[in-house]
Amino acid sequence: MCGIVGYTGKNDCVDLLIDGLSKLEYRGYDSAGIAVMCDGQIEVKKSKGRLADLEKKMGEEGKPHGTCGIGHTRWATHGEPSDINSHPHGNKRVSIVHNGIIENYREIKEFLIDQGYSFVSETDTETVAKLLDYYYEGNPVDAIAHVIKEIRGSYAMGILFRDFPDKVYAVRKDSPLIIGLGEDGNFIASDVPAILKYTRNYYLLEPNEIATLSVNGVDVCDIHKNPVKKEVNVADWDLDAAEKGGYEHFMLKEINEQPTAIRTTIAPRISEGMPYLEESGMTKEMLRDYNRIYIVACGTAMHAGLIGKYVIERIAGIEVTVDIASEFRYRNPIITDKDLVILISQSGETADTLAALKLAKEKGATTMSVVNVKGSSIARESDVVVYTHAGPEISVASTKAYAVQLSVMYLLAFELAYAKGAISKEKCMELTAELQKVPDKIQDILVLKERCQFIASRLINAESLLYIGRGLDYALSMEGSLKLKEISYIHSESYAAGELKHGTISLVTDDMPVIAIATQSDLFEKTLSNIKEVKARGAKVTMICREGTEDDKAVANHLVTLPNMDDIMMPMLALVPMQYIAYYTAVLKGCDVDKPRNLAKSVTVE
Ligand code: F6R
């Protein structure tokens, strides 16, 4: 969702800005632009479309040269994707790039029109640019401080002032922005991959801190102009982790990284064979005392929460409510200070999840987040954070982040069950040991890709398909269905297999693909009956099951068999064929796998 890069330093900045923006492409965008200080003037180039379109335009019109500039990839919110609506916005004196939404831009616009300003775009951002110009009386920081007192909403901004040709200014609230400290210059960026090629040293701007970047350093002050000292973080991601590393797509790379990601996530949370989440601040005593547990998240992260619910309820015997964050925040949930609210988010910046977190805190609940991006808003605002260690997830369709979220759900369930006395120490150790086997098992089943590729070749002409399952298989099928539809554009629904005959089975006609997940031994016979029902109506069934249960071969047209594990652990294996099937279906259909249409990696607006 919109990407920002800015640089001031010793080197020409245009290629550097474009390169940085290309590392943020995963966030999704529909137009791009840069503003560069050239011979004391701000020169702006912007274009609808991809970065390649911007580069083409610069090739035709002449590429600006300068050592200080800002760049942006826009994901349209106010106004359609167009050259005019693309960022940067401003005038001869000031130019800005902005990520977020300014809620009161209409009233500001009316005010500025009364002051004689005119507007060319439909964006909220142009309003902020002109408001900066209005308040600018020779001191950029004063102007920025004035503006942020007047605007409402979310923003991360990179700003150039013509009168300060070697400086980039930055400020943020509710949208991420980091400051990168390089040897030959300094950076602003929406995310770490944009600057990794140049520096690993960075820090995060806190809300309404104002940064002034120059060639030799960065000054940060608060809204009252008091200097702020920042602690520098060192990114531990290697550059290769943010690149494709020889894989055709980030998604394929990330599917293959799952064993490592799970190992790295669970290893520090297991001590002497027992789950150990205390390093995050969540003690056994706290876990024992919660009345209710809510898990709140969006999309794939919410699906991880659903698996969490099934596992926690089954082994810890505690009721868990899973909520979609955008529903939770508006449904006036009944929460007290005796409840635990768990927020799951890869990016840690999802607007609805962040709002749900704030609501839970207001109501006095303990908030615990399971987040992948260090220092992100959700991580910083929650009482307890369990970081997943998936490394950067670049593909818009989440894979390895889901796998590590599940692994944290399992550890939490085991620890909860033990803390509540629902399982013995021996059982808890047994389950933990089973979880530790998962990375190797996944490594073994990554070879299933050819089988899944073949199955995908049978799906590409489908207009619609069903994913079915029962119990944990049903919870998992929701993720399989989302993965498939978001990247292959084939309409797909997941259904509780037992619910089919209450309506949905009427959709099943000749050759309709149905993917059935049947890994749960206590429900296997029942799922098998449901598979037979759809097969009898002409469906072409792919069954994902475990070794030894595939005997009744006649029941499915295609089989994917998985190694045996404890029932509750099977979703961690079955997720792999689901991801592969989605991936190869999209590849075979020629879809833009890593950047599906209309989607953004990080959804920082409602
Ligand atoms: C789908 C996907 C999304 C995200 C959702 C929440 O593949 O990635 O459904 O899971 O937008 O994002 P985070 O986890 O960043 O809060």
Side-chain angles (χ1 to χ4, degrees), residues 134-272:
Y134 175 76
Y135 283 123
Y136 177 65
E137 289 175 344
N139 185 325
V141 174
D142 283 345
I144 295 168
H146 232 115
V147 164
I148 57 181
K149 278 184 207 143
E150 292 207 3
I151 55 178
R152 279 201 317 273
S154 58
Y155 46 84
M157 292 190 259
I159 312 163
L160 297 182
F161 287 85
R162 185 190 54 191
D163 299 347
F164 295 83
D166 59 350
K167 298 217 173 1
V168 172
Y169 296 86
V171 65
R172 69 165 281 268
K173 184 175 126 331
D174 294 337
S175 284
L177 197 70
I178 59 163
I179 307 289
L181 308 168
E183 288 200 346
D184 290 341
N186 297 301
F187 301 80
I188 57 169
S190 303
D191 202 353
V192 176
I195 57 162
L196 264 188
K197 194 164 156 186
Y198 313 98
T199 182
R200 291 178 176 283
N201 297 337
Y202 73 98
Y203 50 72
L204 300 142
L205 275 188
E206 293 300 321
N208 288 337
E209 286 178 348
I210 303 168
T212 306
L213 285 76
S214 43
V215 185
N216 297 318
V218 183
D219 293 320
V220 180
C221 66
D222 65 17
I223 197 164
H224 307 296
K225 290 176 66 177
N226 300 311
V228 177
K229 208 169 154 19
K230 304 293 294 183
E231 204 174 303
V232 178
N233 301 318
V234 180
D236 54 6
W237 299 354
D238 55 26
L239 184 56
D240 199 41
E243 306 277 358
K244 278 191 215 148
Y247 286 92
E248 203 181 335
H249 297 100
F250 281 114
M251 181 172 175
L252 188 59
K253 176 175 178 251
E254 288 160 9
I255 291 172
N256 281 268
E257 285 171 344
Q258 291 180 120
T260 309
I262 297 168
R263 260 184 223 112
T264 321
T265 299
I266 62 173
R269 279 70 186 247
I270 297 174
S271 172
E272 296 176 5

Side-chain angles (χ1 to χ4, degrees), residues 39-105:
D39 304 324
Q41 302 300 324
I42 300 173
E43 192 167 333
V44 174
K45 295 285 176 199
K46 49 192 195 172
S47 164
K48 180 183 161 186
R50 314 299 291 176
L51 283 168
D53 297 304
L54 175 64
E55 287 190 283
K56 187 161 169 256
K57 191 168 186 178
M58 289 195 288
E60 286 159 10
E61 295 176 0
K63 194 169 166 180
H65 289 285
T67 57
C68 176
I70 49 178
H72 190 257
T73 43
R74 172 175 188 252
W75 194 79
T77 52
H78 293 73
E80 56 168 14
S82 69
D83 287 3
I84 297 272
N85 287 335
S86 310
H87 299 207
H89 287 284
N91 56 18
K92 288 193 168 129
R93 286 211 300 179
V94 54
S95 185
I96 80 166
V97 289
H98 163 227
N99 178 8
I101 287 182
I102 305 302
E103 287 161 9
N104 57 337
Y105 84 101

Side-chain angles (χ1 to χ4, degrees), residues 447-460:
V447 296
L448 286 173
K449 67 171 188 274
E450 263 110 46
R451 178 102 205 98
C452 296
Q453 207 166 354
F454 170 76
I455 292 166
S457 72
R458 309 284 125 168
L459 299 180
I460 51 174

Side-chain angles (χ1 to χ4, degrees), residues 3 23 143 147 160 182 212 216 250 327 341 409 442 544 551 597:
K23 301 292 185 301
V147 164
L160 297 182
T212 306
N216 297 318
F250 281 114
E327 291 296 314
V341 178
M409 288 294 104
I442 292 188
I544 300 175
D551 283 354
R597 68 182 176 217

